[in-house]
Amino acid sequence: MAAPNGQPGRTRCISDADLRAFSGYVMKRAFNAIQADVNMALAPLGLRMITFSALSVIVSNPGLRQSQLADALLIERPNLVPIVDELQNSGLVYRDPAPDDRRAYALAATPAGQRLYERAYAAVQAHEARVTKPLGTAERRALIDMLTRIEG
Amino acid sequence: MAAPNGQPGRTRCISDADLRAFSGYVMKRAFNAIQADVNMALAPLGLRMITFSALSVIVSNPGLRQSQLADALLIERPNLVPIVDELQNSGLVYRDPAPDDRRAYALAATPAGQRLYERAYAAVQAHEARVTKPLGTAERRALIDMLTRIEG
DNA sequence: TATTGTTATACTCTATAACTATA
DNA sequence: TATAGTTATAGAGTATAACAATA
C-alpha cells in the first residue's frame, strides 16, 4: 500500500498513485482547474461562478424567494445575501416585495441582467467546450450524468 | 436559453436545467458531497481530507521536501506549513534536516503515522465504495480517468 | 540572485447563532 | 411557534508579499 520509491533525501519523482485512485482528490483538482477557467471567462462580464449560477436560476425562475434560490444553489441563506446584494448593486436583479408574504422578496432579473446572462451563458458554453476538450461528446454527457448520480 | 417557468411570486418548482449542463456547477455539488463524506470517515482518526492527502504522499515518498509536497498537493508553500505542523504535532510525521541542503527539511512518517495511514487508507476505500455506489466498476474507472484528463 | 521554510495578511467560501419583522 | 431575510462571527481554503537562512 504505498511503497517508498527512494531513500530519504533523495526522492526525485513524487508519487501520488494512491491519491489518484481517490476520487475526492482527483475531483478537487479537476474542479480547481474548471473554476479557474470559468472565473477567467466570467471576469470581463463582472461575474463569478457563484453570481453567474445565481443569475441563471433567477432568470429561469422570476419571482422566486431568496430561500428558494439558496436551496437551489445548495448554500446557506446567510451566505446568499451578499451574492444577491452584488447582483442588485450591479443592476442585474432586483428584490420586489412578495405580494403574498411581507417577510419575503421576489427576485427577478432586470433587462440588463437578462442581456448580461445571455452573454455570460455564451461565455460559459465556450469555457465548457474548452475544459471538456479532452473528452468526447458521449464522455462529456456521461461525466455530467455520473457526477449528478454521485451527488444525489 | 432559460425560459421562465412561472409568473413572478408564483414559482413553485425551481429550475436549474441550464446549470445542470454546466460541469463546474455539477462538479462543485458532487465534490461537496464527497468531501463531506470523506471528512466524516476520517474524523475518528483525527484526519481531514487535506491531512490525509499530505500523509499519503509523505508515506509514499519518505524524505521529500515541503516544497515538493506542496507541488504534489497543488497548494501554495505557505498554506502547507500548518498542515505539516498538524501532522507533526499529532506525532504522525517528522521534519528532519535535509542532509544536502540546510535550508530544507526532509519529511517522513513515523511508525505511528504509517500505521494510522493504513487505517485511514482503509477508511477512505470504504468511503470510496460508498460515494461511487451509484456507479459501476467501469464507470468509476472512467470517471477518474476523465477527471484526470480535464485537470491536465 | 535565487530558493526553502516561514510569517503575516487578505479574500473567498462555508456554517451557525441570533436578531427583526412578519406569518 | 415558526419562517424570511439579515447580521455577526468563526472556521476552512486559497493567494501574495516579504523575511531570515542558505544556496
Side-chain angles (χ1 to χ4, degrees), chain A residues 62-108:
Chain A
L64 86 167
R65 308 296 156 74
Q66 284 192 199
S67 52
Q68 292 178 304
L69 179 56
D71 287 348
L73 297 175
L74 280 190
I75 65 178
E76 298 301 318
R77 260 67 48 111
N79 298 328
L80 181 61
V81 175
I83 294 167
V84 175
D85 286 348
E86 186 178 328
L87 291 170
Q88 188 173 37
N89 292 336
S90 304
L92 302 173
V93 310
Y94 57 92
R95 286 185 246 231
D96 251 3
D100 55 337
D101 187 338
R102 293 196 311 184
R103 295 171 302 179
Y105 289 121
L107 299 175

Side-chain angles (χ1 to χ4, degrees), chain A residues 27-37, chain B residues 27 31 73-74:
Chain A
M27 197 167 304
K28 181 184 183 178
R29 297 176 71 128
F31 175 67
N32 282 351
I34 287 184
Q35 188 173 42
D37 189 275
Chain B
M27 197 166 305
F31 175 67
L73 297 175
L74 281 190

Side-chain angles (χ1 to χ4, degrees), chain B residues 28 66-67 78 95 103-105:
Chain B
K28 181 183 184 179
Q66 284 191 199
S67 52
R95 287 185 245 230
R103 295 171 302 180
Y105 290 121

Side-chain angles (χ1 to χ4, degrees), chain A residues 36-149:
Chain A
D37 189 275
V38 76
N39 281 334
M40 221 172 55
L42 289 171
L45 302 174
L47 293 173
R48 297 171 293 137
M49 182 165 156
I50 184 64
T51 52
F52 166 78
S53 297
L55 181 59
S56 173
V57 175
I58 294 171
V59 165
S60 297
N61 303 274
L64 86 167
R65 308 296 156 74
Q66 284 192 199
S67 52
Q68 292 178 304
L69 179 56
D71 287 348
L73 297 175
L74 280 190
I75 65 178
E76 298 301 318
R77 260 67 48 111
N79 298 328
L80 181 61
V81 175
I83 294 167
V84 175
D85 286 348
E86 186 178 328
L87 291 170
Q88 188 173 37
N89 292 336
S90 304
L92 302 173
V93 310
Y94 57 92
R95 286 185 246 231
D96 251 3
D100 55 337
D101 187 338
R102 293 196 311 184
R103 295 171 302 179
Y105 289 121
L107 299 175
T110 64
Q114 294 185 26
R115 281 194 303 272
L116 189 76
Y117 174 68
E118 282 166 30
R119 292 174 55 203
Y121 185 82
V124 168
Q125 286 206 314
H127 140 84
E128 198 70 13
R130 199 160 47 236
V131 299
T132 60
K133 201 172 191 169
L135 271 46
T137 309
E139 280 186 323
R140 192 183 156 287
R141 215 178 352 249
L143 175 65
I144 299 266
D145 180 61
M146 286 191 280
L147 291 174
T148 305
R149 272 186 283 155

